[in-house]
Amino acid sequence: EGIAFIARDVTEWKRAEEEARVRQQQLVQAEKLSSLGVLVGGVAHELNNPNSYIAMNVYMLKDIWNSVLPILDQYHAETGDFVMAGLPYSKMRERVPELFEAMEEGSDRIKYIVRELREFARQTPDDLIETVNLNQVVESAMTLLSSMLKKATRHIEVEFGNDLPSLQGNYRRIEQVIINLLQNACQALADRDRRVRVTTFAEPKQHQVVLTVADEGGGIKPSDLPRVMDPFFTTKRDAGHSGLGLSVCATIIQDHQGQLTFESTLGKGTKATLRLPVPRDRR
């Protein structure tokens, strides 16, 4: 009498099964992001139409004001000060041009943001052949997130390096990384008195350009820090975070042959450092 055992090592099978599950979740998330991109592009288009109407009317109202201004000035000279919309004409005469200028600037800003949203939502090729200025990418990302940045902190500090050499890559994919880093910095802040500091500079000897995004948030646990770029790892799942943001960023930076690293101290904040290579023939 005896007992026969048949054993099979299923470690590799289990690992392959887990990888398949992760890939499936990534595909689902990618489909959601693709749908979101289409939605953002549509919203940007719809915003552009009324903004064009506003801009056209502002210019027309400005011309009307300039046309009647001599008549109002003559009336003021003959009869003295009078009230317009609750203000003396002498003050309104100075105020109205300021209002027109503010409306024109607001309309131009909407136009710029809409253009950036449409470009961001546009499907871009994966070719890494564009000439990219890191400062311009950071400015574009901060424009898209201007509302979030203002709500998150009263103290946003930006220091752009002078004469940064251009790099070769994909503008929108690098912008996606920077947007993610800025969003994480904003979400880490407990109140608006905490700071976010953004800097860019060049390291000529290493043939690199560098971006740092530092926040004064709660920081990351030492045990979690090595895992922040793992797929689906997040400490904010209750807030609806998928844990894919930094994982996607890591892939993008790897495609650009760059490096993305994090330093963090609990209670003091986190600093993300992005390093991207610069062709040796560029200075």
Side-chain angles (χ1 to χ4, degrees), residues 86-276:
L87 287 178
Y89 172 72
S90 57
K91 292 185 178 180
M92 184 64 77
R93 192 184 192 285
E94 299 176 357
R95 180 61 176 153
V96 169
E98 295 175 355
L99 293 174
F100 284 133
E101 183 178 355
M103 286 188 285
E104 288 174 351
E105 290 179 356
S107 178
D108 288 342
R109 182 165 179 79
I110 291 173
K111 184 178 179 181
Y112 177 77
I113 292 173
V114 165
R115 185 175 71 245
E116 291 297 312
L117 283 172
R118 293 177 71 175
E119 283 294 316
F120 182 73
R122 184 171 61 89
Q123 294 294 325
T124 57
D126 292 336
D127 296 337
L128 310 179
I129 59 175
E130 297 174 317
T131 298
V132 180
N133 182 288
L134 184 60
N135 285 347
Q136 291 178 354
V137 185
V138 175
E139 286 180 329
S140 175
M142 294 186 70
T143 297
L144 289 171
L145 294 179
S146 59
S147 178
M148 173 181 281
L149 290 168
K150 289 177 182 178
K151 289 180 180 179
T153 178
R154 297 185 182 93
H155 309 286
I156 176 74
E157 300 176 1
V158 184
E159 184 178 346
F160 289 132
N162 295 324
D163 300 323
L164 286 189
S166 57
L167 59 98
Q168 184 173 311
N170 186 295
Y171 184 103
R172 292 301 165 189
R173 296 184 73 193
I174 295 173
E175 182 184 55
Q176 182 179 348
V177 173
I178 296 172
I179 285 174
N180 192 280
L181 297 179
L182 290 171
Q183 286 176 330
N184 288 347
C186 290
Q187 293 164 359
L189 302 181
D191 56 68
R192 296 186 66 218
D193 291 326
R194 305 296 178 94
R195 298 177 184 274
V196 172
R197 180 171 176 79
V198 181
T199 60
T200 63
F201 56 92
E203 291 186 338
K205 292 183 179 180
Q206 285 74 33
H207 299 280
Q208 293 177 333
V209 288
V210 183
L211 163 74
T212 64
V213 179
D215 66 68
E216 294 181 348
I220 303 171
K221 294 180 181 178
S223 58
D224 290 340
L225 195 58
R227 304 174 58 199
V228 293
M229 289 187 285
D230 290 352
F232 302 103
F233 176 79
T234 178
T235 59
K236 306 173 185 176
R237 197 169 300 280
D238 292 342
H241 294 260
S242 66
L244 276 175
L246 288 178
S247 174
V248 172
C249 290
T251 301
I252 292 173
I253 298 308
Q254 184 178 6
D255 291 343
H256 283 79
Q257 299 181 7
Q259 294 177 319
L260 179 59
T261 57
F262 295 87
E263 306 168 46
S264 188
T265 303
L266 274 179
K268 293 185 177 181
T270 302
K271 178 180 177 181
T273 302
L274 170 61
R275 299 177 183 274
L276 293 167

Side-chain angles (χ1 to χ4, degrees), residues 27-47:
L27 288 173
V28 171
Q29 188 68 16
E31 182 64 27
K32 290 181 181 178
L33 293 174
S34 177
S35 300
L36 180 61
V38 174
L39 177 62
V40 168
V43 170
H45 177 73
E46 291 301 319
L47 284 174

Side-chain angles (χ1 to χ4, degrees), residues 11-61:
T11 303
E12 291 299 323
W13 179 77
K14 285 289 186 181
R15 183 180 294 114
E17 187 180 58
E18 177 63 19
E19 290 177 354
R21 185 186 67 82
V22 169
R23 283 196 295 271
Q24 178 65 26
Q25 289 179 315
Q26 288 176 328
L27 288 173
V28 171
Q29 188 68 16
E31 182 64 27
K32 290 181 181 178
L33 293 174
S34 177
S35 300
L36 180 61
V38 174
L39 177 62
V40 168
V43 170
H45 177 73
E46 291 301 319
L47 284 174
N48 202 43
N49 291 333
N51 185 58
S52 298
Y53 181 74
I54 292 171
M56 182 176 62
N57 285 343
V58 168
Y59 289 127
M60 183 177 294
L61 288 172

